[in-house]
Amino acid sequence: MNAMIFAAGLGTRLGAITSAKPKALVEVGGEPMLKRVILKLKNAGVSRMVVNVHHFADAIVCYLKANDNFGIDIRISDERALLLDTGGGLLKARPFFDSNEPIIVHNADILTDFDISQMLDSHIESKADATLLVADRRTSRYLLFDADRRMKGWKNVTTGEIRSPWPDIVSAEGIVPLAFGGVHIIKPSIFSTLERYSDSSKFSITPFYTDQCADLYIKGYTPEESFHWIDIGKPQSLIEAENIVSELRPTPLPE
């Protein structure tokens, strides 16, 4: 099983905290977020991970080496020269993946304790090209889904902007707005579409999903059981994460 961890971000919203370390090594409950995500993915059966690096790249490389890559095959996708954003970063990492396996993509700054194995089962069973973790959570930008949880577009509720191959449909009743959770699973076959998508090597994955949802089967997934979810990328969110970390379902330690 393959996975990619987005760990290259600048973490500017955290101010002084990320002026001396990468966001992926910010600690919650005494443990770096990168370690938490790695162990979560390892526990789900991932045997090869790709970690992209840019901001304080050497610190992440040294941290992984000092921990013997937590006993799994971890490859570094080096973005020191140019931070490629999520879409460009995923495309750059393509050579590191086993072409026959689904790829779990997880932001390093997302603290969550849902069972990712169940999401993987849902992805495989549905034969979706991409399965996105979504939830009924307040945000300014929503992904839009039909009653069958097939993605139909994107909406910025602050500006009213809508992006969709079906602008009339997504303005009608029956469309469900859900917040993206920074965890998704893709088929390797999606790379051929990803390659044709942008003239630039730097681009975001969310507009790609929005623009391609008519041609690709992009499905929303919400765990049946309640779960914790926090983006630790802001100071207040980091405080909230510290307050709930003791309530998280435990992740087994590496052997």
Side-chain angles (χ1 to χ4, degrees), residues 35-36 38-41 43 112 248-254:
K35 176 181 178 180
R36 289 184 175 277
I38 288 173
L39 295 186
K40 178 180 180 65
L41 293 170
N43 188 48
T112 183
L248 299 178
R249 296 182 182 91
T251 299
L253 295 175

Side-chain angles (χ1 to χ4, degrees), residues 142-155:
Y142 287 96
L143 301 182
L144 305 175
F145 297 87
D146 65 16
D148 295 322
R149 289 295 175 92
R150 182 160 187 165
M151 187 175 170
K152 294 295 183 180
W154 172 96
K155 181 175 183 178

Side-chain angles (χ1 to χ4, degrees), residues 83-153:
L83 184 60
L84 297 175
D85 210 334
T86 49
L90 181 59
L91 188 56
K92 178 180 173 61
R94 180 182 186 178
F96 295 114
F97 299 119
D98 182 332
S99 61
N100 296 318
E101 295 286 344
I103 302 164
I104 302 172
V105 184
H106 201 303
N107 291 3
D109 56 5
I110 298 300
L111 179 69
T112 183
D113 61 351
F114 78 98
D115 187 344
I116 205 165
S117 297
Q118 293 181 6
M119 181 178 177
L120 180 60
D121 289 344
S122 175
H123 171 76
I124 294 172
E125 181 179 357
S126 70
K127 296 181 171 58
D129 293 299
T131 301
L132 283 53
L133 176 68
V134 293
D136 184 7
R137 173 173 49 82
R138 180 173 293 181
T139 183
S140 60
R141 299 174 179 87
Y142 287 96
L143 301 182
L144 305 175
F145 297 87
D146 65 16
D148 295 322
R149 289 295 175 92
R150 182 160 187 165
M151 187 175 170
K152 294 295 183 180

Side-chain angles (χ1 to χ4, degrees), residues 46-47 67 100 154 156 174 206:
V46 173
S47 57
N67 287 277
N100 296 318
W154 172 96
N156 184 324
T206 304

